[in-house]
Amino acid sequence: MDPTAKPSPGLVRNLLVRVFSFCVFVLVLRFVYVVTIAGGSCDAGDFCFFSIPDTLNFASVSAGVITGASAVSGEGTSSSVSVSESSLNDLWTSKEWRNSVDFHSGVFQDLMAESYLNTNSKALCVETLTGVDVFALKEIGVHDVVGIAKKAVPPLVKFGKAIRIPFEDDMFDFVFSGGSGVDRYVKQAEFASEIGRTLKPEGFLVVHTNSAKDTYSFNSFIGLFNCCRLVRHREIDNGDTIMPSIHEIVLKKEYKSENENSKLDSNIVHKCSVPVPGFKHEIVRNAENIISEEPLKPWLTLKRNLKNIKYLSSMVDINFKKRYVYVDVGARSYGSSIGSWFKKQYPKQNKTFEIYAIEADKAFHEEYKSRKGVNLLPYAAWVRNETLFFEINGDPGQKMADNKTRGMGRIQPGQSSTGEMGNVNKIQGFDFANWLKNTVSERDYVVMKMDVEGTEFDLIPRLFETGAICLIDEIFLECHYNRWQKCCPGERSSKYENTYDQCLELFGSLRKMGILVHQWF
């Protein structure tokens, strides 16, 4: 072959055709990646030649990614299934798809009739697995609608999470969370916060849930949305034989300035001073009876009574709470009640609880250093912040140096000239009610066990006085009284000044208030 010979025109033409074909292949591959793998679309800032029209015929959609029916919403994991064009066509042309579209169309048309939605609404569907609700909205004339989910389903659903909605503040007139997706969200409070951020003032949120059926969980759900007020709720027949009805809740975002919202949050405890809602009284009426006759053997009574206790979390759904908190006041050792009872026996509905152990006795402090997940407060729960004298070995009924009887239990306010009085140590007491108000809110689920050797007659009234009592959902209270002595039949111990009748009055005042309290011995 002559190296000086010029290439023939046909060879150059073939080379150019191959280069052009390769460039076209690269562009097509890029387009497929953007639309089907990255979960975006041509109007999302990626390089493409054209955008996907709203009126796209689903029968002609190319291969994509859909979320499987077993996907888990919220912070959990979801499985995605790559499907062929025929499989995707089968989904969008199936009888089940058409039935689901018709169901959602009927729901949205009812909402239109009640003026919660109109064709000019800018709408968002949250955690929509296949985009059926997006399609139904478009079909009835709501064209400005977008769906988000952890797995994109082009062209109906873009990538996005309910707890981090990828849109600006005050953007949507209407937000829909269907398919009972809210029941599977792990971080309910973050979801509520994102809805409040992206929903326009006077905009509407519509949620379909299979939870929030009892009044406690329903009020807990509403309480998550401090941005909104309840408009209405109803049961809808969805034609499902396994779960024939679904709970629809409609909320409207109230217009409040940022300062007004902050003021509302800071004053939320003060609303606690009024009588608690009626549904809490109904819970109390369903609780076990208080033991009216003084038990001769309290410890045996406790064992029997534990079998009868109707825990709040066994009576209601606690799913819609911001946090879950257990406060052990007078915790003693870790195994005394946290490890032996709360960790093992209290029904938690698979929730992770923050645990606070309040114990002033230094003898128990060391073991808490190795206990993960337990916050130790090495102080004495009291009615104000002040120095206290804490009993180490002696009985609370013994005489102090100033000849005053110690009827408060193991702690005593005041100060001697030396700072020490026999078998006592000087410790710091703190305002327990004030601490509680600064630590939890009404949106939290709070369980408290109190065993404070008689100081309950000071602490409980203080909780009432400050309104902090309403922040507690359930109390396990050991009330200390002058019990019969084992050594001396017919004689009562002077260890405590209060009587069993006074304990009954204390329990009665709590239950009358609508606070679920259980006897603890």
Side-chain angles (χ1 to χ4, degrees), residues 27-28 31-32 34-35 40-44 46-53 56 62:
L27 290 174
V28 170
F31 174 78
V32 171
V34 169
V35 174
S41 65
C42 293
D43 58 358
D46 293 291
F47 176 71
C48 335
F49 286 119
F50 56 89
S51 61
I52 300 174
L56 179 68
S62 61

Side-chain angles (χ1 to χ4, degrees), residues 7-23:
S8 66
L11 180 62
V12 174
R13 184 168 52 252
N14 290 337
L15 181 61
L16 291 175
V17 168
R18 291 182 180 182
V19 171
F20 178 76
S21 298
F22 177 76
C23 292

Side-chain angles (χ1 to χ4, degrees), residues 420-438:
E420 295 186 5
M421 297 179 298
N423 295 324
V424 296
N425 274 347
K426 188 167 65 174
I427 59 166
Q428 183 62 41
F430 71 102
D431 188 334
F432 174 68
N434 187 58
W435 172 84
L436 195 65
K437 289 165 61 177
N438 289 315

Side-chain angles (χ1 to χ4, degrees), residues 275-291:
V276 298
F279 70 87
K280 289 195 173 183
H281 290 276
E282 182 64 29
I283 291 172
V284 169
R285 284 193 288 271
N286 291 330
E288 77 282 358
N289 292 327
I290 297 295
I291 300 171

Side-chain angles (χ1 to χ4, degrees), residues 390-451:
F390 181 80
E391 179 188 357
I392 300 176
N393 296 315
D395 287 337
Q398 71 185 24
K399 298 292 182 178
M400 295 178 61
D402 57 2
N403 293 321
K404 291 183 179 179
T405 302
R406 299 163 53 135
M408 292 175 52
R410 303 177 72 231
I411 65 171
Q412 175 70 30
Q415 185 129 357
S416 70
S417 58
T418 62
E420 295 186 5
M421 297 179 298
N423 295 324
V424 296
N425 274 347
K426 188 167 65 174
I427 59 166
Q428 183 62 41
F430 71 102
D431 188 334
F432 174 68
N434 187 58
W435 172 84
L436 195 65
K437 289 165 61 177
N438 289 315
T439 304
V440 301
S441 75
E442 283 187 297
R443 299 191 192 102
D444 300 328
Y445 183 79
V446 181
V447 180
M448 184 181 78
K449 189 227 76 180
M450 181 178 285
D451 179 5

Side-chain angles (χ1 to χ4, degrees), residues 8 58 188 227 231 300 304 306 389 391 397 425 430 455 504:
S8 66
F58 292 123
Q188 306 281 358
C227 62
V231 176
L300 293 178
R304 290 194 296 266
L306 278 175
F389 289 100
E391 179 188 357
N425 274 347
F430 71 102
T455 314
L504 293 178

